[in-house]
Amino acid sequence: MIVHARLSAIKGIKLHEWIIRFVFGGAVCVVAGLIAQRFGPVIGGFFLAFPAIFPASASLVEAHEKQHKAGAGFDGTSRGRIVAGIDALGAAMGCIGLAGFAFVLWIWLPRAGLAQTFILATLVWLTLSIGVWLLRKKRVLHR
């Protein structure tokens, strides 16, 4: 599998889908802020590792796939759920990298400079993200 970006897909996103993503993302950030106020920044920070637009993206991915299959004369319910599940797996893998990034910042910011800590956290994020992706590719993280 080759990872690539299809920027032309952005043109197919409707205005209401952008609004849904924005509202869900904002709501997740507000909830994380409220949790941080109540339980402290360490606990609240863990909730910021949650991909803010994931809930909206998963439902929109499923709806797009169902619509695509319906256009071909098929019921896309099952396919939509599968594609949304694959999207969820990718989000979960991404959260592992983000959690590693946050952990390094939490541990090292009080002890080292911002630039060094940020570089280290970015390298940890990259290593974890690629490592989890490679483990999934080798089916270590597969049923």
Side-chain angles (χ1 to χ4, degrees), residues 127-140:
T127 302
L128 285 173
S129 298
I130 291 173
V132 169
W133 184 76
L134 289 171
L135 286 173
R136 190 243 10 122
K137 188 173 179 177
K138 291 186 177 193
R139 300 197 182 270
V140 172

Side-chain angles (χ1 to χ4, degrees), residues 26-134:
V28 168
C29 291
V30 167
V31 168
L34 293 172
I35 290 169
Q37 261 186 339
R38 174 81 168 109
F39 299 103
V42 173
I43 302 299
F46 283 117
F47 286 89
L48 285 177
F50 182 79
I53 63 169
F54 172 70
S57 294
S59 61
L60 293 171
V61 163
E62 180 183 15
H64 278 268
E65 192 62 30
K66 284 170 68 172
Q67 183 182 19
H68 178 72
K69 289 293 181 183
F74 299 105
D75 178 22
T77 303
S78 177
R79 174 75 177 161
R81 289 181 183 157
I82 290 169
V83 171
I86 292 168
D87 192 46
L89 176 63
M93 292 187 318
C95 279
I96 293 169
L98 285 173
F101 182 89
F103 183 76
V104 169
L105 288 178
W106 178 52
I107 295 296
W108 284 101
L109 267 179
R111 295 175 177 88
L114 176 63
Q116 297 91 344
T117 303
F118 188 76
I119 290 168
L120 177 62
T122 302
L123 291 173
V124 167
W125 164 78
L126 186 63
T127 302
L128 285 173
S129 298
I130 291 173
V132 169
W133 184 76
L134 289 171

